[in-house]
């Protein structure tokens, strides 16, 4: 589907639901450079990658050629990649544990700057999945935002593949609302319209925009 088709569907969904602006995060992981470049040529500037290493190989080059790129990390962040991630990304959506928050706070202090942050919530309580548990979310939000003073913008979720995503979107929205957070990163290729209906401010769309991923 073309970029303009996706943007039109986002606009329709947010008008129907009476929602504010929604940012399309174009998920470019594992996509051939030519496909990413075509979307850049069409004016898209916000992209998501889930691996630091892969992003490091591809985005510095694009940044030299296209102004105004905003890069989001949407995959788990290992602490040994933290500095590299801070050099590359404008937004980190996958803050998911106290140790990472502490190291982010230290680096932010040393650098005098920090990317915008989202906390990933494991609403499905899946053991293999990153994210804080819903019951731990309020305390972790307070730690990141209030204790460390980090620029926390919102929450992110990846619902379980075999469950109705709307229940997870609604839970994420509820946690955000009771904590006074505005950003909600939820919804992917197959469900971004229902995420927008439930308040998504950022949708992460990969395969619907770029075509199927070869691997990963
Ligand atoms: C790959 C990925 C996406 C995009 O998934 P599609 O179904 O291809 O749109 C969104 N969010 C995260 C965290 C991802 O890893």
């Amino acid at each position: 589907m073309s970029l303009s088709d996706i943007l039109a569907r986002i606009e329709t969904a947010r008008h129907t639901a009476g929602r504010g602006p929604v940012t399309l995060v174009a998920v470019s992981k594992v996509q051939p450079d030519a496909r990413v470049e075509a979307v850049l040529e069409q004016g898209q500037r916000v992209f998501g990658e889930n691996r630091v290493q892969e992003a490091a190989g591809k985005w510095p080059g694009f940044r030299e050629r296209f102004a105004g790129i905003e890069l989001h990390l949407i995959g788990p962040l290992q602490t040994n990649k933290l500095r590299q991630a801070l050099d590359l990304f404008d937004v980190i959506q996958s803050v998911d544990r106290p140790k990472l928050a502490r190291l982010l706070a230290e680096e932010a202090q040393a650098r005098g700057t920090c990317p915008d942050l989202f906390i990933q919530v494991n609403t499905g309580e899946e053991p293999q999945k990153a994210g804080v548990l819903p019951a731990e979310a309020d305390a972790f939000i307070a730690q990141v935002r209030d204790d460390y003073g980090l620029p926390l913008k919102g929450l992110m979720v990846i619902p379980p593949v075999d469950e109705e995503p709307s229940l997870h979107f609604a839970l994420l929205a509820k946690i955000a609302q009771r904590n006074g957070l505005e950003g909600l990163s939820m919804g992917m290729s197959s469900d971004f319209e229902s995420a927008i209906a439930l308040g998504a401010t950022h949708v992460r769309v990969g395969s619907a925009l770029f075509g199927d991923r070869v691997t990963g």
Side-chain angles (χ1 to χ4, degrees):
M1 199 173 299
S2 71
L3 176 63
S4 57
D5 287 343
I6 302 271
L7 290 172
R9 281 175 59 185
I10 289 172
E11 278 306 289
T12 302
R14 76 177 194 86
H15 279 294
T16 306
R19 298 287 181 180
V22 175
T23 299
L24 169 63
V25 180
V27 178
S28 49
K29 66 181 184 203
V30 210
Q31 296 292 349
D33 282 357
R35 283 190 195 164
V36 180
E37 186 166 335
V39 170
L40 278 161
E41 297 279 5
Q42 290 162 44
Q44 176 68 22
R45 287 296 178 270
V46 183
F47 290 84
E49 290 280 348
N50 71 340
R51 287 172 186 274
V52 176
Q53 213 58 43
E54 184 186 341
K58 135 167 125 186
W59 285 97
F62 283 137
R63 277 201 153 119
E64 282 175 14
R65 298 171 44 219
F66 296 91
I69 288 170
E70 181 181 301
L71 201 55
H72 292 230
L73 179 64
I74 60 172
L77 178 53
Q78 306 306 320
T79 50
N80 62 355
K81 299 271 167 61
L82 178 65
R83 289 191 173 154
Q84 197 179 11
L86 291 173
D87 293 340
L88 271 172
F89 290 96
D90 305 291
V91 181
I92 296 176
Q93 294 202 6
S94 49
V95 180
D96 63 354
R97 57 197 192 280
K99 183 184 178 193
L100 179 59
R102 178 172 56 79
L103 293 172
L104 273 166
E106 288 172 12
E107 278 295 317
Q109 178 112 49
R111 292 170 184 238
T113 172
C114 185
D116 286 344
L117 304 177
F118 285 65
I119 287 173
Q120 183 174 352
V121 183
N122 185 359
T123 58
E125 308 194 18
E126 297 173 279
Q128 81 285 6
K129 196 164 274 177
V132 291
L133 297 174
E136 297 165 350
D138 293 358
F140 190 54
I141 289 165
Q143 184 181 38
V144 170
R145 180 180 55 191
D146 307 330
D147 299 349
Y148 291 134
L150 290 167
L152 183 64
K153 301 298 171 180
L155 304 178
M156 185 269 256
V157 70
I158 309 170
V161 283
D162 54 356
E163 286 181 29
E164 168 56 43
S166 295
L167 302 173
H168 297 274
F169 299 155
L171 176 56
L172 195 76
K174 196 172 123 192
I175 297 170
Q177 197 193 11
R178 72 172 179 239
N179 285 283
L181 287 170
E182 305 214 322
L184 282 173
S185 175
M186 55 190 199
M188 313 198 289
S189 288
S190 56
D191 53 23
F192 66 87
E193 283 146 322
S194 57
I196 290 168
L198 290 164
T201 59
H202 294 68
V203 294
R204 309 179 309 267
V205 178
S207 45
L209 175 60
F210 292 106
D212 286 337
R213 288 180 287 275
V214 182
T215 56

